[in-house]
Structure formats: C-alpha cells, structure tokens
Amino acid sequence: MRRLIVKLFGDSIIGRVVQDPSTGRYRRMEPLADIKSEGLELSFVNCGKFGSTISKGRKLIERQLEGDPDCQVILVGFGGNDCNFKWAEIGENPSLDHEPSTPLDQFHRNYLYVISRIKEAGIRLILTNLPPIDAEKFYDTWIAPDQARDQILAWLGDKQAIYRWHEMYSLKVEAIARETDTPLLDLRSPFLENRTFKSLIGPDGIHPTEEGHGLILEAAREFIALEADRG
C-alpha cells in the first residue's frame, strides 16, 4: 500500500479548534485518523497553530524545509488572523486609517514565497480558501463588549463589513492558487451552500463547530485522496 504523509499548516481552523458554547473555552478536536482506500494510505500531521498568520506560518514552514520535512504533501491555509484588526485601537481613533495584521499585498507576497519554497523542495502542495465567518456573532463576541463599539461600528460602516473583508482574503488565496497553478481545496462552499449555516460556526463567529469541522474533514479527505491518486 502506498503511504503519503500530509502536513497541515495554518491557524486554529486547520488546527481543528472548537469553542465550547457553555464555557467559551477552546479545545482541539481529536487528531485526524489515517485514510486507507484502494492501495493508498494518507497519514496527517497537524501543524496548525492558534493565532497564526502567514508570516508565522512562513517561519514554521521554513524550519521544516531546512531539515527533513518527512512528508510528501503539504496543505497550507492562512488568512483568518491575517485579516483581523486591533479593534481597541480603532475604537480609540476611528478617524484614522488602520491596517490589518497582514496587509493584503504583504499577504500575497508571503504566500508566493511559501509556495515557491515548498515546490522547490519537491513536495506536493495544496492551498485552502477560508471557511466563512458569521459577522453577527463575531461582532457580538469581539466588538460589542468594547466600550468604543459605536465608534468601531461607525468605522466599519456596517457589521457585514467584517464578513466582506474576511472574504477578500479568501478570494486572494483563490487568485494566488490560479496564479501559481496550485491545487485549491474549497472549504468555503460547503458552508455557504448549507441551509443550517449558523449551526456550523461557533459562538465567536470564527471557529467552526464540530459539525462544521466535519464538513471540512469530509472535503479535505476527498480532495487530498483525489490529488494523491493523480500523482
């Protein structure tokens, strides 16, 4: 049986983190089990880190590639933390321009660098777009408790601006995949086409519920197995 080791790099979404709705605490779900089908075994090593951006991921991937990465496939999924803002600073000075954690042009450059390094190492690469967020839940969790929430909302224009900004980073990853001719795992569509969307995103508006992570797992297993068969 042919065995492929797949390393997953990304933030807490890739890291399979969920939020307990009763306590608000975060925890990792169980490790991914191996997939065996028709002469192929996929073994997963999850390197997702809570709070990671593409800049942090770049350093982690660089360290892996400098040694023996011990894998045949790398999956990369960043953007959810890159597009976030320092909301308290916006509340203090809503009339100023504020940059996200990773401006979009820098996000683009870092992604291109990571892609080139992985491909130069001869490792197969898969990118993922971003599962959607729930802007209402996000606002209620991260912005509504702030004393300056009215100023922050005025800066945003409307609550759904949070969703649209996050979506722009997902679209950028899709564009990068086309630009570099890299396979793209679509983690966004299974959420958007689901009529129970609200149940798929946890209380903080960012992290999928266990049901949401189930959708991600199903899409990832099917796509990675298909890509492996092609090689």
Side-chain angles (χ1 to χ4, degrees):
M1 176 174 287
R2 184 164 64 109
R3 180 171 180 260
L4 294 180
I5 299 174
V6 183
K7 286 196 172 180
L8 314 176
F9 293 90
D11 53 28
S12 53
I13 307 299
I14 295 297
R16 290 172 56 77
V17 169
V18 294
Q19 183 186 23
D20 187 321
S22 61
T23 65
R25 294 179 179 176
Y26 295 94
R27 63 174 175 84
R28 282 182 180 266
M29 294 179 65
E30 71 282 355
L32 292 168
D34 292 354
I35 303 173
K36 297 180 181 179
S37 64
E38 299 181 359
L40 176 66
E41 178 180 358
L42 299 178
S43 297
F44 297 96
V45 179
N46 198 326
C47 303
K49 302 290 185 183
F50 200 101
S52 283
T53 61
I54 184 62
S55 298
K56 293 179 181 178
R58 171 176 169 167
K59 294 176 183 176
L60 179 59
I61 293 170
E62 282 271 45
R63 288 197 296 270
Q64 290 278 327
L65 296 177
E66 286 170 0
D68 179 6
D70 190 28
C71 65
Q72 293 76 44
V73 181
I74 286 179
L75 180 145
V76 177
F78 292 96
N81 293 304
D82 295 272
C83 70
N84 202 20
F85 289 91
K86 295 180 179 178
W87 299 106
E89 292 183 5
I90 294 173
E92 291 174 2
N93 296 288
S95 62
L96 300 180
D97 289 331
H98 294 271
E99 292 278 9
S101 295
T102 310
L104 204 58
D105 58 345
Q106 182 182 336
F107 182 73
H108 186 189
R109 289 195 303 271
N110 277 332
Y111 242 109
L112 291 182
Y113 179 83
V114 166
I115 290 169
S116 66
R117 287 287 286 112
I118 293 171
K119 290 185 175 182
E120 286 170 3
I123 299 172
R124 299 185 66 174
L125 173 63
I126 296 171
L127 304 183
T128 74
N129 58 6
L130 308 183
I133 63 174
D134 184 319
E136 295 285 340
K137 290 180 181 178
F138 184 99
Y139 181 87
D140 291 342
T141 299
W142 303 104
I143 295 176
D146 195 291
Q147 294 295 320
R149 60 185 178 273
D150 292 338
Q151 293 93 316
I152 295 172
L153 184 57
W155 183 85
L156 283 169
D158 65 270
K159 293 178 183 179
Q160 290 304 316
I162 303 168
Y163 177 95
R164 296 192 297 271
W165 182 256
H166 179 271
E167 181 180 46
M168 190 162 61
Y169 278 70
S170 185
L171 291 172
K172 176 59 71 174
V173 175
E174 295 176 14
I176 291 169
R178 292 191 297 270
E179 178 184 349
T180 59
D181 193 24
T182 303
L184 177 78
L185 167 58
D186 180 12
L187 296 183
R188 196 171 186 85
S189 295
F191 285 80
L192 295 178
E193 66 190 16
N194 195 298
R195 291 191 298 275
T196 62
F197 172 76
K198 288 284 185 180
S199 70
L200 303 176
I201 308 296
D204 65 1
I206 303 171
H207 292 89
T209 60
E210 290 194 18
E211 183 182 357
H213 275 292
L215 285 183
I216 292 174
L217 180 57
E218 182 179 353
R221 283 178 168 172
E222 181 178 343
F223 186 87
I224 294 172
L226 181 61
E227 284 297 310
D229 285 340
R230 288 175 180 169

